[in-house]
Amino acid sequence: MGDDSVSSEDTPEVQDVLDALDDPACRAILQETIEPMTANELLDACDIPKSTLYRKLELLSSASLVREQETINPGGGRVTYYERSFEDVTISMDDTGTFSVSVDRPPKSTDERLADIWSMMGDEV
């Protein structure tokens, strides 16, 4: 019933992953995002400037290591949460010298899949 196919987001480019993991600010963000956090919470936890935080979140998103989730704020508007989107990252090299990356991800709950669908619908409107 569910679509368990692998999207391009599940197989990031090796260089994107290496760039993100090589960056101290990105590693700090990854350490904090075990549970979903807002940008303001991450600013406090990681002690980095706001402009730097958003650049690093973009780098982590490009590497498919962090995902964004939007929720509706009861007081109005949307709140964006950032969460680490992997359990394990493996970089390997085959016999021809070609590097590859494997990202193990936790299974998404039904609520998370539904939230993703709603988010995509909101983007199209």
Side-chain angles (χ1 to χ4, degrees):
M1 293 210 182
D3 182 9
D4 292 332
S5 63
V6 176
S7 72
S8 62
E9 201 173 286
D10 291 332
T11 54
E13 295 294 322
V14 173
Q15 193 60 52
D16 290 342
V17 173
L18 292 174
D19 289 345
L21 294 177
D22 187 45
D23 188 288
C26 286
R27 290 193 308 269
I29 292 167
L30 289 174
Q31 289 174 327
E32 296 296 333
T33 53
I34 293 170
E35 296 294 325
M37 295 181 79
T38 65
N40 286 335
E41 292 169 335
L42 284 168
L43 286 171
D44 292 340
C46 298
D47 194 33
I48 57 178
K50 192 176 204 173
S51 60
T52 300
L53 175 71
Y54 284 106
R55 281 196 318 271
K56 301 308 177 181
L57 286 169
E58 180 62 33
L59 183 59
L60 288 163
S61 292
S62 296
S64 299
L65 300 177
V66 167
R67 66 183 179 139
E68 291 181 26
Q69 282 188 303
E70 284 190 353
T71 61
I72 304 296
N73 187 348
R78 294 181 181 193
V79 177
T80 302
Y81 289 92
Y82 301 91
E83 183 177 24
R84 191 170 63 196
S85 65
F86 67 94
E87 291 178 342
D88 191 39
V89 175
T90 305
I91 308 288
S92 57
M93 184 171 61
D94 66 17
D95 294 340
T96 66
T98 302
F99 285 95
S100 64
V101 64
S102 171
V103 181
D104 295 332
R105 302 187 189 285
K108 286 187 179 181
S109 71
T110 303
D111 290 343
E112 290 171 322
R113 291 193 309 263
L114 185 58
D116 288 346
I117 291 168
W118 280 113
S119 178
M120 287 186 295
M121 289 176 66
D123 291 343
E124 291 180 11
V125 173

